[in-house]
Amino acid sequence: LAAAAERHRSTADIVKAAFEIRSGQVADELDAIARLRLDPATPAAIWDHLLDVFVTQLARDVVARRGGLDGLQEAWKDWLESGAEAPFADPLARAPAALIAMLGSGLLAPAPVRAADLPQWVSLGASDPDPDAVVAQLLGMEPALPSTVAEWIDAASWWGQIRAAIASQAAPPSSANLAWEAWRRLDEGFVDWLRRSYGSTLQAASATPRAVHQIAPYLARRVEEGARIVLLVIDGLGFAQWQQLRNAAGIKVVQATGCFAMIPTLTTVSRQAIFAGALPIDFADTITTTAAEPRRWQSFWGEHGLASRDVSYTRTLGSDPSDVPTLVGRAIAVVVNAVDEMLHAAEVLGDRQVASGVDVWARAGFLQTLVEIATAGGYEVWVTSDHGNLPAVPGHVLREGLAVSDAAGTRVRLYANEVLRGQSASFGIAWDPPGYPRGTRCPLFAPGRSGFFGSGTRVSHGGLSIDEVIVPFAQVAV
């Protein structure tokens, strides 16, 4: 930027170079729009300088609306209804990657398909798509093995769409086996990458949260700029459920990305990190309980200059609108246990049972009502989760009695010391993740998709899968 300024280049040229924007082709320009809208750290002022960068009409319409996608949404709806007769049929058909990214994140909403002359990939943005067709299309777009945090977040969103489509059907589709084989390839690479790069990811400076312990500091910057915020932590919500929930609940995604949970992906570890704004190693004394969360949340905001009256923390099941808490203050936290309760009860049909429960819960109105009330009250509403979940398959059953300190662990078992863990290390992955207190509660992670149980179906968490570790982080409105 300094070099560009010294050469007296225009502001548009500098912005174009800084954000690596390629202009001239609709696919490139909509790809840039998608990247800017999917990054919560994108400065609002950038839109004032992009009219001199973009040349295609769809992109310029977004810029004229300062990032607003209403015009693009209308063009998408019109294309699905009118096909080749729609005014923007040709440019939309030439930008599948950008449109799929925005549809997958929720920035664009699905629409009814009535035209017959549309490309097959359009089914991914249909309001009532054929699940088999969705799975087939997405499997045809399997990403190369990611190497960066941003690429892994995109991959988690891609897989979440596939898993949601599979779970939406009464019986597993014919494509389910192919999908889980693609998951295996992706997840093996993810676990290898985690063990190399998780520590540096936790420590990396980023304008956007890349791990859940960075969410509170990020929101603190928003409050310093004058915002009032509601942080909604939906316990256990993974990308598969987020894909389904945001459509069924009738909420609008303003901006969206993902975050890495704390490992092990357990509520007492990862959810507490959200409210403490710190790594688990910094709250080792309360790592086995969630009781300290209100105190951690108050303490964090006290250190950032807020009075206790301006900070609140509420935990609720979130059954229906009657559970919506009163919103008072400038930094409000609401923990919702509904999805996690569904996970632990899904012992008959697994993922399909969870998907059915999430659909009914979304339509019951708690989430929509909370977002409506908060938005009307002038709050920014941010949604995230402490961990995701995985439909695990039976694995090795370890019968160790008091040797293990977490006997109920389905995807992770915690041992009193490394010696005890070592005796069972051949049955799992023995790893002390960065940021986690070492020496006590030593974790042994179940490999692959397996769990430490012998039969039945369980949708669980605690492990190292991409489903459990990468969770949504989005700003929503109505």
Side-chain angles (χ1 to χ4, degrees), residues 459-477:
V459 184
S460 191
H461 57 91
L464 302 175
S465 74
I466 193 170
D467 303 64
E468 297 160 288
V469 174
I470 302 182
V471 297
F473 177 60
Q475 184 186 359
V476 299

Side-chain angles (χ1 to χ4, degrees), residues 271-351:
R271 202 172 77 191
Q272 194 168 181
I274 294 174
F275 296 118
L279 293 170
I281 197 171
D282 296 318
F283 51 83
D285 57 326
T286 60
I287 204 167
T288 62
T289 177
T290 61
E293 288 177 357
R295 171 166 58 86
R296 300 284 184 198
W297 184 244
Q298 281 279 355
S299 176
F300 172 85
W301 286 104
E303 293 172 359
H304 285 78
L306 290 192
S308 60
R309 65 178 179 276
D310 288 326
V311 183
S312 70
Y313 169 101
T314 304
R315 190 186 305 180
T316 176
L317 182 59
S319 299
D320 55 44
S322 66
D323 280 347
V324 174
T326 301
L327 305 179
V328 178
R330 296 179 62 193
I332 299 171
V334 181
V335 175
V336 182
N337 289 114
V339 172
D340 198 57
E341 293 291 331
M342 295 174 202
L343 301 180
H344 295 298
E347 296 185 353
V348 179
L349 298 175
D351 242 11

Side-chain angles (χ1 to χ4, degrees), residues 132-167:
D132 259 333
V134 169
V135 173
Q137 288 295 316
L138 287 168
L139 287 177
M141 301 173 182
E142 182 176 348
L145 193 65
S147 60
T148 67
V149 170
E151 289 173 355
W152 280 116
I153 292 171
D154 288 344
S157 177
W158 169 82
W159 169 248
Q161 294 174 71
I162 293 176
R163 191 176 145 193
I166 293 173

Side-chain angles (χ1 to χ4, degrees), residues 166-177:
I166 293 173
S168 70
Q169 303 182 66
S174 57
S175 55
N177 288 338

Side-chain angles (χ1 to χ4, degrees), residues 2-73:
E6 287 175 358
R7 293 195 297 271
H8 304 289
R9 292 173 63 184
S10 69
T11 302
D13 284 341
I14 295 173
V15 167
K16 183 176 178 180
F19 289 87
E20 298 179 345
I21 295 171
R22 293 182 297 177
S23 59
Q25 301 295 324
V26 66
D28 291 334
E29 295 192 359
L30 289 183
D31 177 69
I33 294 289
R35 285 192 292 111
L36 293 170
R37 283 302 315 271
L38 287 169
D39 187 350
T42 296
I46 193 175
W47 304 105
D48 298 330
H49 304 287
L50 289 176
L51 273 179
D52 293 331
V53 173
F54 292 134
V55 299
T56 61
Q57 189 171 347
L58 284 173
R60 288 176 64 83
D61 177 80
V62 174
V63 173
R65 299 171 190 261
R66 302 195 85 243
L69 299 176
D70 290 351
L72 186 59
Q73 179 71 63

